[in-house]
Amino acid sequence: MFPAVSLTSRPLDLLYFCFFLIHIPASLLLDFQILYPSAYVPSFLLALRQWYIDFSADPLITGAVRGEINGNLSWLGCFAWLELIFQCPTFLLGIRGLWRGSHSIYVLLIAYGASTATTTLPCIFYILKEQSNMTTNQQLILLSSYIPFFVIPFMMAIDMGLRLYSIILSADSKQKTE
């Protein structure tokens, strides 16, 4: 129905495509570890998590490892389940839809972008609140890794909303001329 246009000629779609590709291993290797007991996590992934904690002093992952996911950080557990159940499948569908240049993916990407920006922003604020336990370099590392995971989905939601709005206006215009 829609003409195929190369992904490389659609810079924002290419950005979103690469974002999803990068997000899949981050989710699978680090984020989802908080959802199941450490006894079931392969030792190399536990080592990766510990290296990340030592390197970044991420208070969210550190708190989750300490079991605070069942207490003060219970909201983080909800976000992790949302990432597993909704966001991870969206990565795959988004990659496929963006690769094909499908307009039908726009609605899902609006929902993904809004949901992800909404769940990432509290994480950023939590990191800012807990910064006293981090060096300046660790703060910069954390913020430089979390902020793109807020900005890109937020931008995606707005961009896809504007694209859909344009499609609807075009359809309305055609309908009025008929």
Side-chain angles (χ1 to χ4, degrees), residues 12 15-16 19-20 23 109-110 112-125 142-160:
L12 284 177
L15 172 68
Y16 306 149
F19 176 80
F20 287 143
H23 209 304
L109 296 185
I110 289 170
Y112 165 81
S115 169
T116 301
T118 301
T119 58
T120 305
L121 191 59
C123 296
I124 293 169
F125 276 90
L142 278 178
L143 291 175
S144 67
S145 64
Y146 275 86
I147 288 174
F149 285 89
F150 166 75
V151 171
I152 294 172
F154 185 68
M155 187 172 77
M156 185 185 303
I158 293 169
D159 178 37
M160 294 297 157

Side-chain angles (χ1 to χ4, degrees), residues 91-104:
F91 302 155
L92 301 174
L93 294 170
I95 287 169
R96 180 175 176 248
L98 291 166
W99 179 262
R100 292 181 174 184
S102 172
H103 296 181
S104 64

Side-chain angles (χ1 to χ4, degrees), residues 103 106-107 110 157-173 176:
H103 296 181
Y106 293 177
V107 174
I110 289 170
I158 293 169
D159 178 37
M160 294 297 157
L162 291 172
R163 292 183 198 192
L164 275 181
Y165 180 71
S166 176
I167 290 169
I168 292 167
L169 280 181
S170 177
D172 284 350
S173 177
K176 288 178 183 176

